[in-house]
């Protein structure tokens, strides 16, 4: 427990990054993408699948550099996605040394680990840039409240094959906690959309749990306990941000289709 508390202090600089946003947030998202995709591919290597780190890192640099130069241009993102798909599939041409799984794993890592964090950068560029905070509040709020609720009253397993300690009672507590934390944030920071903040928290909490279970599913298939050991007590970058990866796209598209 002490190790986890000390390690949590490492997350404090992230709050400053969210506050200042801009280039600082772009750099942080790029860091998470590059380190995260390395951890993800290391997991594949453990089960004899060899995705291309070079392609993934190159695509990450192009994506975030493109944002700094062009801003949020949908056509650029569309072209980037097409190029990412093509590059991943071309990587599979060397059929003597690689399999189809290597190409698919490369593409999965690019979309899942490189593209998903990019949406928090896109949120920062909108008139609702404060919603970047809700990405973390929904993800970490649901995780914290699910943990304590599960410890207190959890009895029924939610996904025993993926995460044996998670319970249905804990999940419900997590959703309620995420909605309440998000509503409080909205009340003090964005009172004009406080109800919608609560909705973001409730749905975002569910999305974050899906992200967490998805990461667990990959780990079970890879035969690993953690993606890395960068953060003592928490594992790697992916072990800490797996739920955030799913929440960021949700919050962005909620702001695009509901708030605007």
């Amino acid at each position: 427990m002490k190790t986890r508390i000390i390690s949590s202090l490492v997350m404090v600089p992230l709050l400053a990054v969210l506050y200042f946003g801009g280039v600082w947030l772009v750099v942080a998202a790029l860091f998470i993408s590059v380190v995260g995709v390395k951890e993800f591919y290391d997991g594949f290597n453990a089960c004899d699948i060899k995705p291309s780190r070079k392609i993934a890192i190159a695509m990450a640099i192009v994506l975030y550099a493109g944002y700094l130069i062009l801003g949020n241009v949908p056509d650029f993102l569309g072209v980037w996605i097409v190029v990412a798909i093509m590059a991943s599939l071309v990587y599979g041409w060397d059929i003597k040394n690689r399999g189809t799984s290597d190409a698919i794993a490369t593409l999965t890592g690019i979309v899942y680990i490189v593209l998903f964090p990019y949406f928090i950068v896109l949120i920062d560029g909108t008139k609702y840039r404060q919603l970047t905070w809700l990405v973390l509040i929904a993800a970490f709020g649901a995780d914290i409240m699910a943990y304590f609720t599960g410890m207190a009253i959890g009895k029924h397993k939610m996904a025993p094959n993926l995460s044996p300690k998670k319970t249905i009672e804990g999940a419900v507590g997590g959703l309620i906690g995420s909605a309440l934390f998000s509503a409080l944030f909205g009340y003090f920071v964005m009172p004009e959309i406080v109800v919608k903040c609560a909705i973001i928290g409730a749905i975002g909490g569910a999305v974050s749990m899906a992200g967490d279970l998805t990461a667990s599913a990959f780990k079970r298939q890879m035969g690993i306990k953690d993606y890395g050991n960068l953060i003592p007590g928490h594992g790697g970058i992916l072990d800490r941000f797996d739920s955030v990866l799913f929440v960021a796209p949700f919050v962005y598209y909620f702001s695009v289709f509901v708030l605007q």
Side-chain angles (χ1 to χ4, degrees), residues 154-190:
K155 293 182 179 179
H156 301 88
K157 302 296 184 182
M158 182 173 69
N161 293 328
L162 299 180
S163 188
K165 294 183 179 180
K166 286 183 170 57
T167 64
I168 294 174
E169 293 84 359
V172 173
L175 296 181
I176 294 174
S178 178
L180 288 176
F181 290 149
S182 299
L184 284 172
F185 173 84
Y187 179 80
F188 288 107
V189 180
M190 308 177 74

Side-chain angles (χ1 to χ4, degrees), residues 13 208 255 259:
S208 76
S255 70
L259 298 182

Side-chain angles (χ1 to χ4, degrees), residues 62-82 115 118-119 121-123 125-126 252-253 256:
V62 169
L63 179 64
Y64 290 98
Y67 179 83
L68 289 175
I69 296 170
L70 302 174
N72 183 8
V73 179
D75 286 342
F76 167 75
L77 182 57
V79 170
W80 182 88
I81 291 173
V82 170
L115 177 59
Y118 178 68
F119 285 96
V121 173
L122 295 184
I123 296 169
T126 70
Y252 174 73
Y253 284 115
V256 169

Side-chain angles (χ1 to χ4, degrees), residues 161-240:
N161 293 328
L162 299 180
S163 188
K165 294 183 179 180
K166 286 183 170 57
T167 64
I168 294 174
E169 293 84 359
V172 173
L175 296 181
I176 294 174
S178 178
L180 288 176
F181 290 149
S182 299
L184 284 172
F185 173 84
Y187 179 80
F188 288 107
V189 180
M190 308 177 74
E192 70 279 7
I193 59 168
V194 60
V195 174
K196 291 177 180 176
C197 285
I199 294 173
I200 289 175
I203 301 176
V207 172
S208 76
M209 292 178 191
D212 182 64
L213 290 174
T214 297
S216 294
F218 275 116
K219 285 191 287 189
R220 297 295 178 270
Q221 294 294 324
M222 294 170 176
I224 59 177
K225 181 179 182 296
D226 294 318
Y227 282 109
N229 55 11
L230 182 65
I231 309 173
H234 290 284
I237 283 289
L238 285 186
D239 297 294
R240 182 68 282 180

Side-chain angles (χ1 to χ4, degrees), residues 104-162:
I104 299 303
T106 299
L107 180 58
T108 301
I110 293 173
V111 174
Y112 177 33
I113 313 298
V114 176
L115 177 59
F116 281 15
Y118 178 68
F119 285 96
I120 198 169
V121 173
L122 295 184
I123 296 169
D124 185 62
T126 70
K127 64 180 180 180
Y128 294 107
R129 67 174 301 269
Q130 297 96 329
L131 291 180
T132 55
W133 292 89
L134 276 189
V135 174
L136 298 190
I137 291 172
F140 294 152
D143 181 58
I144 292 170
M145 292 306 298
Y147 174 79
F148 285 110
T149 304
M151 288 286 290
I153 61 173
K155 293 182 179 179
H156 301 88
K157 302 296 184 182
M158 182 173 69
N161 293 328
L162 299 180

